[in-house]
């Protein structure tokens, strides 16, 4: 790249203009990588119901509405259901309202076997069974907050206890890890029996049921059978895959995938205009200089390449800063997000490749017309114009 | 005078101006021997720049032939002309035409980007060229930090850095005061006599023309030769 110095200097001929252009490119790509990661977490490649091995049963109206505990045995009796258990949204925080993570009251004997990827030493599980206020936490969570076995951890929750207190105390008795690839263990699990007895209201309810299927069972048929059983009851159900369940957390936000696409479309359209305008101005200002390069023996194609490279350079600089900032931000919020919907956030290799491809294409698109203008410039005319 | 460097035969150049055809050069013949320093004078619009553009391979005649150093410029493609210019000819303009974003040193190195020289060799050669024009101490200055005379010296350094045989100067002192102009003209004389450059200089200034070995006059698209004063 012996022309790099020339291209670099030319790109910075108007420092403020170039800086502002890079800034808008930066914002565009920051948004791109953030929204893409969120969009993928919401909609991305989860299992379809046909291939699902676990199903989740929630209230037909919304996830927030509880289901009675009495459904447990009825669901267990549906043909094709292997194991079934339940969990409930606790929604508390640790010390500071910003320190939220997934906290669920569950049944120690029935819940964990449904998630074989969650591993915990046998003696710790035993301690969980025998400690009424016991809790088991994911290794990543334990690391983040410095939880250790034997610690007494207070959580503040929207669930008041019978004495009116909103502070719940738990004894950490175990640390679990998630052995599935990309799976999250940012969870805080404690005992439903303790929770249900101590809470002031909504006793006898659970948030949702989760079940595994018997070998060979048809997930669609099982889901339909469960929902049919509770049709026309006060608490109708909706049975779907785990991924669909995770996404239902976010449904209040509307059609996220579409919104993401619309925003990105608008952002990149603006980006092309901004960068294209910068390049057009830049070429217009130095018709004479480009003619001088040709006079010195630079070929038409070389001049085309120099202008194009300048436009690509500006976009790639802005884009790479956007990528770095995006990856950093995503890493910072990934755990919180994962605790909320069970899927972490990161720049996937897919959006990395897509992002870089967009940088190159946008660089070429916004530079091509000024570059062609520069290429077609005839020396004699350009020099006469000055 | 001996060997011929540039030879124009029956060169015509016409432009289409609206519906009208304007003939700027009309069947012009010219010979420029190796080692010449020739001034070209003539009224404004008489075709001096057009003639220089022919000699430098920036423009092609409508008819006739242009041969420089054995190369037949009138029949070369654009890319062939680009290659030829990068090694055979240096240009000096009235308004210097330096790149404002580059230092003097980097401006002078520009033509060498088209060669196979390494970065180190390019820097060395540019330093030598700047030394020849007496600006070694201004290598790191941008054009905006130089006087007009200094800018023109940088432009001359850029024109000679790839060691071409032919220097084409279009009103090189047109934008300079008398004193500075005389210095630039003396520099051109030195390049002609000591460095063996063949120089063709367009000027409308009779005093400037006196620095040349001979003067040609262009009028109505033709040359008329007179003895230099
Ligand atoms: N690209 C062009 N298109 C049309 N006319 C041109 C062009 N270049 C030069 N001319 C005309 O040719 C004539 C000679 O121009 P030029 O060679 O620049 O004259 P000089 O340098 O002697 O002043 C002028 O009348 C000018 O208007
Ligand atoms: Mg002229």
């Amino acid at each position: 790249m012996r022309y790099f110095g020339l291209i670099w200097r030319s790109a910075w001929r108007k420092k403020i203009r170039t800086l502002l252009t890079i800034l808008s490119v930066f914002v565009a790509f920051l948004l791109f990588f953030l929204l893409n990661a969120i969009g993928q977490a919401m909609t991305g490649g989860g299992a379809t119901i046909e291939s699902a091995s676990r199903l989740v049963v929630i209230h037909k109206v919304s996830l927030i509405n509880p289901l009675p505990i009495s459904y447990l045995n009825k669901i267990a009796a549906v043909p094709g259901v292997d194991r079934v258990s339940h969990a409930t949204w606790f929604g508390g925080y640790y010390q500071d309202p910003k320190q939220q993570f997934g906290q669920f009251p569950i049944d120690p004997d029935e819940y964990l076997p449904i998630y074989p990827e969650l591993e915990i030493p046998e003696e710790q599980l035993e301690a969980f069974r025998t400690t009424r206020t016991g809790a088991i936490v994911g290794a990543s969570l334990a690391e983040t907050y410095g939880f250790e076995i034997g610690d007494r951890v207070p959580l503040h929750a929207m669930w008041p206890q019978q004495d009116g207190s909103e502070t719940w105390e738990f004894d950490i008795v175990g640390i679990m890890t998630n052995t599935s690839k990309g799976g999250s263990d940012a969870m805080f699990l404690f005992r439903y029996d303790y929770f249900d007895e101590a809470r002031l209201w909504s006793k006898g309810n659970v948030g949702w049921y989760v079940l595994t299927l018997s070998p060979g069972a048809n997930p669609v048929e099982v889901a339909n059978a469960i929902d049919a059983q509770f049709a026309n009851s006060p608490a109708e159900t909706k049975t779907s895959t785990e991924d669909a369940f995770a996404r239902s957390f976010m449904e209040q936000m509307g059609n996220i995938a579409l919104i993401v696409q619309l925003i990105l479309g608008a952002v990149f359209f603006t980006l092309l205009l901004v960068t294209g305008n910068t390049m057009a101005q830049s070429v217009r200002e130095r018709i004479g200089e480009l003619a001088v390069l040709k006079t010195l023996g630079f070929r038409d194609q070389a001049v085309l390449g120099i202008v194009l490279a300048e436009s690509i350079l500006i976009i790639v600089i802005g884009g790479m800063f956007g990528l770095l900032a995006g990856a950093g931000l995503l890493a910072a919020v990934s755990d919180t997000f994962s605790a909320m919907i069970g899927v972490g956030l990161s720049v996937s290799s897919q959006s990395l490749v897509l992002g870089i491809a967009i940088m190159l294409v946008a660089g070429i698109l916004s530079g091509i017309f000024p570059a062609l203008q520069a290429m077609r410039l005839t020396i004699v005319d350009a020099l006469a114009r000055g | 005078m001996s060997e011929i460097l540039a030879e124009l035969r029956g060169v015509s150049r016409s432009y289409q101006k609206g519906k009208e055809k304007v003939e700027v050069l009309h069947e012009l013949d010219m010979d420029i021997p190796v080692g010449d320093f020739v001034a070209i004078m003539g009224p404004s619009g008489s075709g001096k720049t057009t003639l220089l553009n022919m000699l430098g391979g920036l423009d092609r005649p409508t008819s006739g032939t242009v041969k420089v150093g054995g190369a037949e410029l009138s029949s070369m493609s654009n890319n062939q002309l680009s290659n030829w210019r990068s090694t055979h000819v240096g240009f000096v303009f009235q308004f210097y035409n330096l790149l404002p974003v580059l230092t003097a040193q980097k401006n002078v190195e520009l033509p060498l980007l088209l060669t196979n020289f390494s970065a180190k060799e390019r820097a060395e050669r540019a330093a030598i060229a700047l030394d020849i024009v007496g600006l070694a101490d201004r290598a790191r200055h941008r054009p905006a930090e130089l006087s007009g005379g200094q800018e023109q010296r940088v432009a001359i350094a850029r024109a000679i850095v790839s060691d071409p045989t032919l220097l084409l100067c279009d009103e090189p002192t047109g934008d300079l005061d008398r004193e500075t102009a005389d210095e630039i003209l003396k520099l051109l004389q030195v390049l002609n006599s000591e460095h063996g450059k063949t120089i063709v200089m367009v000027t409308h200034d009779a005093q400037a023309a006196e620095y040349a070995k001979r003067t040609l006059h262009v009028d109505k698209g033709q040359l008329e030769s007179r003895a230099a004063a």
Side-chain angles (χ1 to χ4, degrees):
Chain A
M1 268 315 270
R2 53 172 51 207
Y3 295 166
F4 184 79
L6 174 62
I7 293 164
W8 178 258
R9 292 266 158 240
S10 305
W12 290 99
R13 75 177 12 244
K14 291 261 162 79
K15 290 197 181 58
I16 305 272
R17 181 176 68 199
T18 303
L19 215 58
L20 288 175
T21 308
I22 288 179
L23 193 68
S24 58
V25 176
F26 164 78
V27 171
F29 278 94
L30 177 62
L31 272 177
F32 171 80
F33 286 111
L34 290 183
L35 291 181
N36 226 26
I38 294 172
Q40 278 175 359
M42 302 296 177
T43 58
T48 57
I49 190 162
E50 285 79 10
S51 64
S53 61
R54 281 194 291 241
L55 296 179
V56 177
V57 185
I58 65 172
H59 194 289
K60 193 175 180 182
V61 174
S62 86
L63 181 67
I64 304 165
N65 298 55
L67 294 171
I69 188 75
S70 59
Y71 282 15
L72 184 66
N73 291 334
K74 292 178 186 163
I75 293 172
V78 171
V81 173
D82 184 22
R83 289 175 167 277
V84 58
S85 190
H86 59 83
T88 305
W89 181 248
F90 188 66
Y93 62 86
Y94 175 61
Q95 289 175 340
D96 182 317
K98 272 180 264 172
Q99 300 189 348
Q100 292 190 22
F101 39 87
Q103 304 139 5
F104 310 109
I106 49 109
D107 181 320
D109 291 313
E110 298 299 330
Y111 189 78
L112 287 171
I114 292 178
Y115 295 95
E117 68 268 30
L118 293 179
E119 288 193 347
I120 182 164
E122 185 54 40
E123 69 276 9
Q124 296 181 10
L125 184 59
E126 189 53 36
F128 191 34
R129 288 196 188 98
T130 55
T131 313
R132 196 172 162 73
T133 56
I136 56 179
V137 298
S140 66
L141 207 59
E143 197 183 346
T144 307
Y145 295 104
F147 297 148
E148 283 174 15
I149 291 178
D151 283 357
R152 172 151 275 238
V153 173
L155 295 182
H156 302 268
M158 58 175 184
W159 299 100
Q161 299 195 45
Q162 282 177 333
D163 61 8
S165 159
E166 289 187 346
T167 301
W168 295 69
E169 299 216 315
F170 301 98
D171 295 298
I172 308 278
V173 295
I175 309 268
M176 63 189 157
T177 49
N178 189 332
T179 58
S180 78
K181 192 167 170 288
S184 167
D185 63 2
M187 279 180 287
F188 188 104
L189 303 180
F190 52 95
R191 283 173 52 163
Y192 176 79
D193 51 356
Y194 165 52
F195 169 69
D196 195 51
E197 199 178 300
R199 66 173 158 172
L200 183 59
W201 38 267
S202 201
K203 280 181 190 293
N205 285 326
V206 302
W208 60 88
Y209 291 94
V210 56
L211 59 95
T212 55
L213 296 162
S214 315
N218 181 332
V220 179
E221 282 172 16
V222 173
N224 289 342
I226 293 170
D227 292 344
Q229 185 168 11
F230 303 114
N232 303 318
S233 78
E236 293 191 60
T237 61
K238 187 170 80 183
T239 303
S240 58
T241 63
E242 284 184 296
D243 296 294
F245 168 70
R247 291 197 293 278
S248 70
F249 263 91
M250 292 295 169
E251 248 165 26
Q252 306 146 22
M253 288 167 65
N255 189 340
I256 289 167
L258 182 63
I259 292 172
V260 165
Q261 310 248 308
L262 287 178
I263 295 176
L264 288 181
V267 163
F268 280 99
F269 184 69
T270 315
L271 176 73
L272 284 187
L273 291 185
V274 170
T275 317
N277 184 48
T278 297
M279 290 311 299
Q281 276 184 23
S282 165
V283 165
R284 218 177 302 129
E285 282 162 9
R286 59 183 157 132
I287 296 285
E289 290 170 43
L290 293 167
V292 167
L293 288 183
K294 291 192 179 186
T295 304
L296 296 179
F298 285 75
R299 293 179 172 203
D300 293 349
Q301 300 90 317
V303 172
L304 172 97
I306 285 170
V307 175
L308 262 190
E310 191 178 316
S311 141
I312 293 173
L313 180 72
I314 287 178
I315 295 220
V316 167
I317 292 175
M320 284 301 166
F321 277 114
L323 169 62
L324 287 180
L329 268 175
L330 289 173
V333 302
S334 181
D335 277 355
T336 311
F337 204 80
S338 163
M340 274 157 54
I341 72 161
V343 193
L345 288 179
S346 65
V347 175
S348 65
S349 55
Q350 187 194 343
S351 58
L352 183 67
V353 170
L354 184 64
I356 290 174
I358 291 178
M359 285 177 213
L360 297 180
V361 171
I364 291 170
L365 278 184
S366 55
I368 189 67
F369 292 108
L372 283 174
Q373 186 195 358
M375 183 182 97
R376 295 193 187 118
L377 208 67
T378 61
I379 301 173
V380 173
D381 291 345
L383 286 180
R385 268 189 275 165
Chain B
M1 293 201 206
S2 49
E3 203 190 332
I4 299 297
L5 177 65
E7 181 188 286
L8 275 66
R9 287 293 173 269
V11 166
S12 297
R13 179 67 168 103
S14 46
Y15 292 106
Q16 205 69 37
K17 260 191 181 158
K19 287 205 175 104
E20 227 179 318
K21 205 172 113 183
V22 185
E23 191 164 61
V24 180
L25 299 179
H26 179 71
E27 297 190 356
L28 184 143
D29 297 323
M30 185 166 83
D31 290 310
I32 297 169
V34 172
D36 201 1
F37 182 176
V38 56
I40 295 180
M41 297 192 70
S44 181
S46 58
K48 304 183 295 295
T49 297
T50 305
L51 175 59
L52 213 59
N53 289 343
M54 297 291 157
L55 282 170
L58 294 177
D59 196 6
R60 289 191 200 82
T62 321
S63 64
T65 56
V66 179
K67 275 191 201 162
V68 179
E72 160 90 59
L73 302 189
S74 27
S75 63
M76 284 197 198
S77 73
N78 277 351
N79 280 345
Q80 285 172 327
L81 281 177
S82 293
N83 288 350
W84 179 81
R85 283 197 302 272
S86 68
T87 48
H88 291 84
V89 64
F91 293 89
V92 179
F93 303 99
Q94 179 176 1
F95 298 108
Y96 332 128
N97 283 341
L98 301 176
L99 267 55
V101 293
L102 300 182
T103 61
Q105 170 83 20
K106 292 293 177 190
N107 263 290
V108 177
E109 282 183 29
L110 270 180
L112 300 179
L113 289 178
L114 300 166
T115 66
N116 290 324
F117 293 128
S118 69
K120 185 164 169 280
E121 287 168 318
R122 296 200 296 269
E124 284 167 2
R125 277 165 197 262
I128 292 171
L130 279 172
D131 196 41
I132 290 174
V133 301
L135 273 187
D137 57 335
R138 293 286 188 277
R140 303 178 70 87
H141 289 55
R142 299 274 177 94
E145 299 157 352
L146 299 172
S147 71
Q150 289 172 330
E151 279 196 78
Q152 195 59 298
R153 283 170 191 271
V154 176
I156 291 171
R158 183 177 68 186
I160 62 171
V161 72
S162 44
D163 201 21
T165 31
L166 182 61
L167 272 191
L168 301 176
C169 311
D170 197 348
E171 314 261 12
T173 58
D175 201 43
L176 300 173
D177 59 55
R178 181 80 264 151
E179 200 180 328
T180 316
D182 285 338
E183 285 170 15
I184 294 291
L185 290 160
K186 277 182 203 141
L187 174 60
L188 291 178
Q189 270 185 335
V190 169
L191 290 174
N192 175 245
S193 58
E194 290 175 25
H195 297 266
K197 304 294 173 204
T198 303
I199 300 179
V200 180
M201 175 178 74
V202 164
T203 182
H204 62 264
D205 172 9
Q207 268 182 285
E210 280 173 23
Y211 285 84
K213 287 179 179 167
R214 62 183 179 122
T215 301
L216 296 174
H217 291 264
V218 184
D219 203 14
K220 302 196 184 82
Q222 300 242 292
L223 279 187
E224 40 177 300
S225 184
R226 298 175 203 168

